[in-house]
Amino acid sequence: MIEEQIQSLTKVQIVSLTIEQVSHLTNQQIPLFTTEQIQALTPIQIRSFNVTQIPYFTSIQIASFLPSRVSKFIEIQIVSFTKEQISLFLPSQITAFTPSQIQSFLATQIASFLPLQVVDFTKQQVPLFTIQQIQSFLAIQIAAFTPIQIDSFWLWQIKSFLPLQVAAFTREQIASFLPLQIQSFWLWQIQSLTEDQIPAFTKIQILHLTEDQIQSFLPIQIAAFTPIQIESFWLWQIPLFTKEQIPNFTKEQIASFTLEQIRWFTLLQIPFFTPEQVSFFTKEQISWFTEKQISSFTEQQIPYFTKEQIQELTMEQIQSLIGQQIQSFTKEQIPFFTDMQIQWFRADQRKFFKG
């Protein structure tokens, strides 16, 4: 049939085409079908197109397929769509894809969906993506997933995201992960998060971080937590911070630790605060350190206690100071002690004062 003959076919004539006739349409004839003719094709006829014919559907024809017909393509046909054709599917067509169709898309096809198409996958379709498909999404596509779609990922799908994909999540997406999804992150995925993403963690998400996850945060990530997030950590999570992480707390972060959290720092953690960080503790925080915690401050840290901090030391804290700590107070710090505090020093402690 020539162009005029094909385009003159009525809907009734189109419907009457046999499976053999459809499968024998040439690559030159397929692009000639009009929108109305494409929409007249029956499910059986749709399935009759062979893999060599599929790539010859034009952009107008691709957009013409009714959703009810799109769902009739079989798997071998789905994998025959070109990258250009994939990028032409409309929202109503995408939502019509069946489970078997979704899982038949090749990695190259998955990467061909436009970001504005990615948002069209339903929460029923998202859980159908295979590991290979998940890992085929480009960063720009990853950033397009909606919070509803994010919630729809299975835990095993979450675990399959690659480092560059993890780093592509937006703040809104990060905040939309369910607690169990957050807990499913591999440690290398946690470390793939950028410093711009860290502030997006919600209080609930922080509370669900595992011990290993907390200890996997890199120094630059630790410094990215907001004061509000710092306050959100469970008391039992405080002792988990490592000696590599502690020196990276900022002035604002240190000041945001609650009084209850302060008491959960271990004697092994305290020496790893830098001298400058020590000066960032508020006077209220200082007063909440236990005697054992006070006695764990090092000779390098003691000289950085401020006047306000020193004058907040209680009798129990002062009497917990050991000789080396007392000797570490500078001549500029000694006058900061109040008369009452001086009286609290035991006789065996006073001998360590310089001069």
Side-chain angles (χ1 to χ4, degrees):
M1 289 187 289
I2 60 176
E3 180 175 353
E4 291 76 13
Q5 292 175 314
I6 289 179
Q7 295 186 337
S8 66
L9 293 173
T10 66
K11 289 185 177 180
V12 173
Q13 291 174 315
I14 289 292
V15 172
S16 66
L17 290 174
T18 66
I19 292 176
E20 184 176 2
Q21 289 174 316
V22 170
S23 64
H24 280 81
L25 290 169
T26 69
N27 299 339
Q28 290 73 39
Q29 292 174 318
I30 288 178
L32 301 177
F33 281 86
T34 67
T35 295
E36 292 73 21
Q37 291 172 324
I38 288 292
Q39 293 181 342
L41 292 169
T42 67
I44 293 178
Q45 290 173 321
I46 290 289
R47 295 191 183 96
S48 301
F49 287 105
N50 61 57
V51 295
T52 62
Q53 294 172 309
I54 296 293
Y56 289 92
F57 285 115
T58 67
S59 59
I60 294 177
Q61 291 174 320
I62 289 293
S64 300
F65 282 106
L66 297 173
S68 60
R69 294 296 182 265
V70 169
S71 64
K72 303 307 177 184
F73 284 107
I74 60 178
E75 288 78 357
I76 195 170
Q77 292 173 312
I78 290 292
V79 300
S80 301
F81 283 109
T82 67
K83 294 189 293 184
E84 291 71 23
Q85 290 174 319
I86 291 291
S87 67
L88 297 170
F89 283 115
L90 300 176
S92 60
Q93 295 173 317
I94 291 176
T95 57
F97 287 131
T98 66
S100 60
Q101 287 177 320
I102 289 288
Q103 295 190 327
S104 66
F105 281 113
L106 301 175
T108 53
Q109 291 177 309
I110 289 292
S112 300
F113 282 102
L114 300 176
L116 56 83
Q117 291 176 301
V118 170
V119 301
D120 295 323
F121 288 107
T122 69
K123 64 180 182 180
Q124 289 76 31
Q125 292 173 318
V126 169
L128 300 172
F129 289 122
T130 66
I131 290 179
Q132 183 181 23
Q133 290 175 321
I134 289 288
Q135 295 181 340
S136 301
F137 282 106
L138 304 177
I140 193 173
Q141 294 174 306
I142 292 292
F145 283 112
T146 67
I148 291 178
Q149 291 174 313
I150 293 290
D151 287 353
S152 303
F153 283 111
W154 291 109
L155 300 187
W156 61 264
Q157 289 176 308
I158 297 292
K159 288 177 175 290
S160 67
F161 284 114
L162 299 173
L164 288 179
Q165 293 177 312
V166 172
F169 287 121
T170 66
R171 288 193 177 198
E172 183 183 17
Q173 290 174 319
I174 291 292
S176 68
F177 281 108
L178 300 174
L180 285 179
Q181 290 177 315
I182 290 293
Q183 286 187 335
S184 72
F185 271 68
W186 294 112
L187 302 188
W188 57 263
Q189 289 178 311
I190 289 289
Q191 294 181 336
S192 298
L193 294 165
T194 69
E195 55 189 302
D196 291 325
Q197 292 172 309
I198 296 295
F201 277 104
T202 67
K203 177 178 180 178
I204 296 300
Q205 290 173 324
I206 287 175
L207 295 178
H208 282 79
L209 289 170
T210 68
E211 177 177 340
D212 288 340
Q213 287 177 323
I214 289 176
Q215 295 186 327
S216 71
F217 282 110
L218 301 173
I220 193 172
Q221 294 175 311
I222 288 293
F225 282 105
T226 68
I228 292 178
Q229 289 176 313
I230 292 294
E231 294 176 10
S232 300
F233 282 100
W234 285 113
L235 298 181
W236 67 264
Q237 291 174 313
I238 298 299
L240 300 177
F241 290 115
T242 68
K243 64 181 182 180
E244 290 79 21
Q245 293 172 323
I246 288 177
N248 294 280
F249 286 122
T250 66
K251 179 178 181 179
E252 294 71 26
Q253 289 175 322
I254 289 178
S256 67
F257 282 111
T258 68
L259 300 182
E260 290 76 13
Q261 287 175 320
I262 286 293
R263 288 200 168 178
W264 280 73
F265 280 110
T266 71
L267 305 187
L268 295 177
Q269 287 176 308
I270 289 177
F272 289 101
F273 283 101
T274 68
E276 185 180 21
Q277 285 177 311
V278 170
S279 67
F280 297 153
F281 286 110
T282 67
K283 63 180 184 180
E284 291 78 19
Q285 290 173 323
I286 290 292
S287 68
W288 269 69
F289 281 115
T290 67
E291 296 92 279
K292 288 185 177 181
Q293 286 177 313
I294 288 292
S295 64
S296 70
F297 281 100
T298 68
E299 300 169 52
Q300 290 74 38
Q301 293 170 320
I302 292 293
Y304 282 80
F305 273 82
T306 66
K307 177 180 179 179
E308 291 73 20
Q309 290 174 325
I310 288 176
Q311 293 185 343
E312 200 65 28
L313 293 171
T314 66
M315 179 176 70
E316 291 77 16
Q317 289 175 322
I318 285 178
Q319 292 185 349
S320 70
L321 293 169
I322 61 176
Q324 289 178 319
Q325 289 177 310
I326 295 173
Q327 289 179 326
S328 299
F329 284 109
T330 66
K331 62 180 181 180
E332 290 78 20
Q333 289 176 306
I334 298 300
F336 296 156
F337 286 102
T338 66
D339 293 339
M340 180 63 72
Q341 287 177 313
I342 292 295
Q343 293 179 20
W344 289 340
F345 280 99
R346 301 188 310 274
D348 62 306
Q349 288 177 304
R350 292 176 185 173
K351 65 182 180 181
F352 292 103
F353 280 110
K354 297 177 182 177

